[in-house]
Amino acid sequence: MDFALATELYPEDYWYRSDTYLSADPELDLIQVIQQLHGSLDPRTVFACFGKIVGQHLPIKGLQLTLDQQKFVWGRHYGIELQRTIADKQDLFNMTYQLTVPLSNIQMVTLSRFESMLIQPLNNALKYQSMSKQAMFDSLTGLGNRHYYHQAIGTALARTNRHQGKVSLVVIDLDKFKQLNDIYGHKAGDFVLVGFAELINEAIRNTDQAFRIGGDEFVIITQGDTQAAEIVCQRIIDMMPKHAQLTEYDIKCSLGIAEAIPEQHADNLYDRADKAMYAAKAAGRNCYRINKG
């Protein structure tokens, strides 16, 4: 779940005496409000901007919105609770506000005006976020895709070159996966791939990143040296017999490890880990090997 926290957490900075709250202020620049809300394609930023705006003009000190698996939160969350539904022809947002004092009828009108301006920019940001996710993640397994991997490994190697920690790459290949597809069909193959991706997510640490870059080929960017990568690899091997989606088809894997060396190109690091993976296959599969070259 993505908890979207605003950068402006404390709207008390914008609170004034209750008689100075904006009600139907003719000087309210609605164009400026709309421009501010459309100023970002990050839904968290759009929501934070909306919170800041209503916090400036109304006795609102916090708000939250839950959409699918995303929860957006701004401000403090105690006080008088107000539930509101923001809707147009296609969209429905259930918003919860936290108030310092109840809103007057005129203030409710002002809030409705602000809410009507939120739907389009928030929807635009949510759609952009969805498209960005589709461009970066494998649609079947939910792991990062090849494009995302190239970005991530470049960032990891740049950090290593600045002497900000070590990084190792793990290349993984499912053993005899082609035979599984030939015998049981691609649906069974997809079933196994999804199960193996779930296993990887369980096995890696929060600092590691996992990707599916080919049919049955996976890579893990591990923060640390080969010993850190070995722990992850051994954990994967140990977990496989306990995973029903894999034991059903007797699936195993071969893994190769390579630790990045200074100024090493990403392709060279991958080639070293890939060679180690093939060494694991030659050693009998269901194991890992390390390329120290």
Side-chain angles (χ1 to χ4, degrees):
M1 182 177 292
D2 179 15
F3 290 89
L5 300 179
T7 55
E8 295 279 342
L9 287 180
Y10 304 111
E12 291 93 333
D13 293 342
Y14 310 112
W15 295 352
Y16 312 97
R17 298 188 314 276
S18 60
D19 60 349
T20 64
Y21 283 122
L22 174 68
S23 52
D25 190 340
E27 295 184 0
L28 174 62
D29 190 343
L30 298 181
I31 299 298
Q32 184 180 35
V33 170
I34 292 172
Q35 289 175 339
Q36 289 174 347
L37 291 172
H38 281 275
S40 174
L41 286 174
D42 176 10
R44 294 172 298 179
T45 303
V46 174
F47 191 78
C49 180
F50 179 74
K52 180 178 178 179
I53 290 168
V54 297
Q56 284 177 320
H57 299 299
L58 295 168
I60 293 173
K61 64 179 179 179
L63 56 150
Q64 58 184 338
L65 169 67
T66 300
L67 290 172
D68 298 325
Q69 294 184 338
Q70 295 189 81
K71 186 176 182 180
F72 299 91
V73 179
W74 179 84
R76 298 186 183 276
H77 296 282
Y78 55 84
I80 302 170
E81 185 173 289
L82 173 65
Q83 299 279 350
R84 295 271 294 176
T85 298
I86 307 174
D88 66 0
K89 294 180 181 180
Q90 297 180 333
D91 302 292
L92 191 70
F93 299 152
N94 294 313
M95 189 84 75
T96 301
Y97 296 94
Q98 299 292 336
L99 313 176
T100 54
V101 295
L103 298 183
S104 68
N105 289 337
I106 295 179
Q107 289 171 334
M108 290 292 288
V109 171
T110 301
L111 179 58
S112 295
R113 294 170 73 190
F114 284 134
E115 290 173 337
S116 67
M117 301 177 203
L118 173 65
I119 292 179
Q120 185 177 355
L122 185 56
N123 261 330
N124 290 344
L126 289 167
K127 290 175 182 177
Y128 180 80
Q129 181 188 63
S130 177
M131 289 187 295
S132 298
K133 184 175 181 179
Q134 290 175 11
M136 302 294 279
F137 291 88
D138 175 52
S139 60
L140 177 65
T141 64
L143 299 181
N145 60 20
R146 181 181 290 271
H147 176 68
Y148 189 10
Y149 161 71
H150 284 301
Q151 288 190 9
I153 192 62
T155 300
L157 291 177
R159 186 168 54 249
T160 298
N161 291 335
R162 294 193 300 269
H163 306 289
Q164 296 178 348
K166 297 180 179 181
V167 65
S168 297
L169 187 67
V170 178
V171 172
I172 311 171
D173 192 77
L174 296 182
D175 296 330
K176 301 180 180 179
F177 183 75
K178 184 178 183 303
Q179 295 180 22
L180 181 149
N181 272 333
D182 291 343
I183 297 172
Y184 298 103
H186 289 285
K187 286 187 178 180
D190 289 349
F191 179 77
V192 166
L193 292 172
V194 171
F196 188 65
E198 292 174 356
L199 183 149
I200 289 178
N201 277 328
E202 294 169 12
I204 63 177
R205 304 164 301 172
N206 291 336
T207 54
D208 302 328
Q209 295 175 278
F211 308 84
R212 179 187 175 214
I213 62 171
D216 64 326
E217 187 174 2
F218 299 80
V219 295
I220 302 171
I221 300 174
T222 303
Q223 298 302 317
D225 57 15
T226 55
Q227 289 184 331
E230 282 186 85
I231 293 173
V232 173
C233 290
Q234 190 60 55
R235 192 178 295 143
I236 290 172
I237 292 170
D238 292 342
M239 290 172 62
M240 292 192 73
K242 304 172 185 177
H243 206 289
Q245 281 176 267
L246 305 177
T247 56
E248 182 175 346
Y249 295 99
D250 192 30
I251 293 297
K252 297 179 174 61
C253 69
S254 299
L255 309 94
I257 301 171
E259 180 181 333
I261 58 178
E263 305 302 327
Q264 184 167 44
H265 192 274
D267 290 344
N268 183 256
L269 176 62
Y270 174 85
D271 289 342
R272 288 174 52 221
D274 193 50
K275 289 178 181 178
M277 183 271 294
Y278 278 104
K281 284 187 178 294
R285 297 185 172 90
N286 195 38
C287 63
Y288 66 84
R289 290 292 183 267
I290 304 172
N291 188 327
K292 298 180 180 180

